[in-house]
Amino acid sequence: MVYEWLNERLDLNRFKRKYLTKVFPVHSTYFFGEIALFSFVILILTGIYLLFSYTPSSRLIEVGGKKIPAAYHSILLINSQPLGVIIRYVHHWAAHIMIAALILHMMRIYFSGNFKKPREINWLVGMVLFTLAILAGFTGYSLPFDALSSVATGIGYQIANSIPYIGPAIAKFFFAGKFPAPGSIPRLYMYHVVLIPLLLIATIGLHMLIMVKQKHSQPYKNKDIAKSGKILGIPLYPQQVSLMLFVFFFTLSVLFFLASFLPVHNVEYFGPPTLQTPMVKPDWYLLWIYGIIKLIPGNWVIPLGSSASIDPEVIGGIILPGIIMTIIALVPFMYKEKEPLNYWEPVSLRPIGTSAGVAFIVMFLALSVTGYQAALNIPIVICRIYTIVLPMVAFFITYFIIKRKKREEVNL
Amino acid sequence: MSEKKFKDIHASRRAILKGLLGAAGAGALGCMVVPFGTIKSPSGKKKRQKIVKGDKLVYAVGPNAGKEIKVSDLALNKGTLAFPKGKEEHNNLIVLFHAKESEFQKPTKLNYITKGFCAYSAICTHMGCTVEWYPEKQFSFDFPHLFCPCHQSVYDVFHGAKVLAGPAPRPLPQLPLMISDEVIAAAGDFDGPIGPLPGGK
Ligand code: HEM
Ligand code: FES
C-alpha cells in the first residue's frame, strides 16, 4: 500500500505518534485563533484568484470614451466575471473577520492571563501578527483605486508625511513618491501580495511553533481533572482535525453569506477617483485612530526648533496609537512571575489588569463612536469628556465587582 | 600530535573560518548596499505652477469641466470647483462661490472679492482632502460654509476661511479675483501655502 511504501522510507509512524496525537484542550475560545488562521488561508486563495485579473496601475486608460485608472478598470472586469464580485467581497470580508478574530483572540489571552511567563514571546509575536494584518488591510484597501480608496490612502500618506524631519522621506519611500504617484499602486501592490503575506506566513509559523513547543494553556477546571503538567483534551487526529474542518467550512460559509448579502466596498458606487472627496471613514479597526485624530485640538502643536514641529496629525495618527500598541505589547513584562503559568488564571487575581482591560475596550468603542461624531451630531467637547470619563467609570465598576466577589468568596 | 597542539590547530581553524564567514557576510551585505544606493527618490519636486493675474477660471468637474466660468453662470449661493485655465493641477484646485458681498468681513481680504464672488484653495489644510461648498444649514452651522468630508473641518467663508470646527490647523488660502470679459479670473496667486505642510514646517 502507498502508506506502507511511504512509511518504510519516511517513518510516518513516528510522525503519527509524535504529532497527530498531540492533545488539544477544548474550549470555544480556542477557535478565535483558528478562525483568524482560516480567514488568512481564505485570503490567500481568494487573493490568488484576484491576481489573475487585477492590474496594479493607476495609469489612466481609455474605456468607452472615458479615462479611468487601469486598476479601477480591472476591478470592474473582476466584478463582471461570473463569481468575480463574490470572490472580491469574500476577500474583503475575510480581511474584516481575520482582524476581528485576532482582536477576540487577544482579548481571550489577556483576560485569562496567559500572556504571562512562559508565553511572553508568543504575545509579542502575536502583536507583530496583528500589526501585519492591519498593514495588509491598509495596503489592500488602496488597490481598487476608486474615489474612496484613493482618498483614504492619501490620508495615510499625509499622516506619514507630517512626521517631523524624516516624515517626507518615509512617505515618499513607502508610497513611491507623493501619493498617488505613478509608482504608488505598484509598490502598495508589492507590499500587499508579496511582502506582507510572506512576513505573515513566517510569523504565523513561528507563532505555531512556539505554541506547540510550550503546549496550550488550559481552562482552570482542567487542573482538578488531569494531573498537573498533563493536558486534558482531544488528540489532533481525528477529533481535533474534524473540529477544525468544521470551523474552516463554517468560516467559509459565513464569508460567502456575508459577501452575498452585504457588499463591501462597492467600487461602482464610489466611481473612479475625482477631484471631489467622498465621505471617507477608515475601516472599523482603524476608526479609533480616526477618533483620536478628531479629538485632538488643531492647536496642539509641539514646536521643535524653527523648522519643524509635532503636529496634531502625528500626535493622533502615530504617537498615541504607537504608545497604546507599545503598552499592549509590554503587558507581559508588567508582571513578575516565578512559576510558569499553564492554566487560565481567574480574573480576580489581576483586579487592576482586568479592570484596565475592560477600560481599554470601552475606550476603543468610545473612540470609534467619535468617528461618527459629525453624523451623530455630538459636540466634540462631549466626545472629549466621554472618551476620558467612560473608561474610568468602566475601570472602577469592574474593579468594584471583582473586589466584592472576592470578599464574598472569603466570607463563605 | 600533542593534545595542546591539536587544540591550537582547531582554535586557529575556527578563527579562520569565523573570519572568512564574517568577510563573506560583509561582502554580501556590501553588494546589497550598492543597488539600494541607486534607488533614487522619485523626482516629485515639481513646483506648483503659480497663478498669475488674468488666469481665467474654468470648471474643474462636472459636464462643463474645462469651460470658462461666466459671471452669469453662478447665481447667488452657487459654488463650484475650479482651476486656473492651463494650470490644471491638483494643488491649484479652487473652490469658487457666490455670496452676498455685504456678508464678508475681516480677516477675509475684501479686495480679493468681486461682485460677491470669492475663492479659496479647495485643498483642506489638514490632510489635503477637497473641501465642499455648503450654502445651506448643516449640523449646527446654519450659514454658508466650506466643509471637509474627511474629518469634518468647517471653514467660515465670511471670515477668511477661519476654522470653526474640526482638526484643520490653518484657514484656507484665499485667491484674489477679478472679472475680465464677463469671465471670472484670478487677480494673482493664493495668499498662503496650499494644503498640509510636511513635517510640521
Ligand atoms: C493577509 C491578509 C490580507 C488582507 C487583510 C487583505 C485585504 C484586502 C483588502 C481589504 C482588499 C480590498 C478589496 C476590495 O475592496 O476590492 C484587498 C485587495 C486585494 N488583495 Fe488582499 N488581503 C490579504 C491578503 C492577500 C493575499 C495573500 C493576496 C494575494 C496572494 C491578496 C491579493 C489582493 C488583490 C489582487 C487585491 C486587489 C483586488 C481587489 O481590490 O478586489 N491579498 N485585500
Ligand atoms: S483632511 Fe480635511 S479635515 Fe482632515
Side-chain angles (χ1 to χ4, degrees), chain B residues 124 126-129 148 150-153 167:
Chain B
C124 182
H126 182 226
M127 291 184 184
C129 292
C148 178
C150 283
H151 309 93
Q152 294 87 40
S153 284

Side-chain angles (χ1 to χ4, degrees), chain A residues 45-319:
Chain A
L45 297 178
T46 50
I48 290 174
Y49 176 89
L50 296 173
L51 284 177
F52 279 101
S53 314
Y54 177 73
T55 316
S57 166
S58 56
R59 200 164 296 148
L60 293 178
I61 54 169
E62 195 150 335
V63 183
K66 267 201 235 149
K67 286 200 163 169
I68 59 175
Y72 179 78
H73 178 240
S74 70
I75 298 289
L76 295 183
L77 281 184
I78 293 175
N79 281 357
S80 65
Q81 291 159 3
L83 264 179
V85 75
I86 294 292
I87 300 283
R88 258 195 69 223
Y89 290 165
V90 168
H91 190 79
H92 202 134
W93 269 115
H96 287 297
I97 295 288
M98 178 164 108
I99 290 170
L102 283 176
I103 293 177
L104 290 174
H105 179 63
M106 288 164 72
M107 270 160 56
R108 194 311 250 137
I109 310 286
Y110 182 82
F111 287 113
S112 66
N114 292 111
F115 52 82
K116 287 187 178 179
K117 182 178 169 184
R119 296 187 175 74
E120 303 99 321
I121 311 173
N122 241 4
W123 177 263
L124 291 176
V125 174
M127 286 304 288
V128 174
L129 271 174
F130 185 61
T131 315
L132 285 172
I134 287 182
L135 283 176
F138 177 79
T139 51
Y141 199 88
S142 73
L143 296 182
F145 205 67
D146 61 330
L148 186 69
S149 67
S150 63
V151 169
T153 313
I155 291 180
Y157 173 87
Q158 289 301 346
I159 293 181
N161 193 38
S162 55
I163 303 173
Y165 304 115
I166 49 173
I170 292 181
K172 283 233 170 67
F173 178 77
F174 190 84
F175 293 90
K178 185 180 182 314
F179 184 84
S184 298
I185 289 293
R187 192 163 292 186
L188 287 162
Y189 173 72
M190 182 277 283
Y191 299 138
H192 187 74
V193 305
V194 181
L195 200 59
I196 297 174
L198 279 182
L199 289 173
L200 269 170
I201 289 170
T203 321
I204 292 173
L206 184 63
H207 201 65
M208 299 286 100
L209 212 64
I210 295 177
M211 189 269 291
V212 170
K213 172 78 199 147
Q214 294 185 328
K215 299 212 177 73
H216 283 85
S217 59
Q218 20 177 3
Y220 195 69
K221 64 175 194 316
N222 290 12
K223 205 173 189 167
D224 307 328
I225 307 171
K227 260 198 297 180
S228 166
K230 292 267 182 266
I231 305 273
L232 177 70
I234 55 176
L236 175 58
Y237 184 82
Q239 281 88 340
Q240 178 69 17
V241 167
S242 35
L243 273 183
M244 281 176 167
L245 279 175
F246 174 77
V247 175
F248 178 78
F249 287 119
F250 181 74
T251 311
L252 190 64
S253 45
V254 167
L255 286 174
F256 268 91
F257 181 84
L258 289 170
S260 312
F261 292 102
L262 296 167
V264 268
H265 207 151
N266 183 347
V267 291
E268 280 100 339
Y269 173 76
F270 295 105
T274 64
L275 292 165
Q276 277 148 325
T277 300
M279 289 283 183
V280 284
K281 288 260 175 346
D283 276 341
W284 61 273
Y285 49 84
L286 292 177
L287 207 54
W288 62 286
I289 297 183
Y290 181 82
I292 301 180
I293 289 182
K294 292 195 59 170
L295 284 187
I296 298 210
N299 56 7
W300 273 26
V301 178
I302 306 171
L304 302 170
S306 58
S307 64
S309 61
I310 300 179
D311 288 355
E313 299 96 277
V314 184
I315 300 177
I318 292 176
I319 298 181

Side-chain angles (χ1 to χ4, degrees), chain B residues 133-176:
Chain B
W133 165 244
Y134 271 81
E136 269 125 42
K137 179 183 163 70
Q138 191 191 206
F139 312 130
S140 44
F141 304 99
D142 52 358
F143 46 84
H145 56 275
L146 292 171
F147 174 73
C148 178
C150 283
H151 309 93
Q152 294 87 40
S153 284
V154 174
Y155 296 93
D156 181 349
V157 291
F158 295 133
H159 293 87
K162 190 174 74 177
V163 182
L164 291 180
R170 293 178 289 123
L172 297 166
Q174 198 183 341
L175 184 78

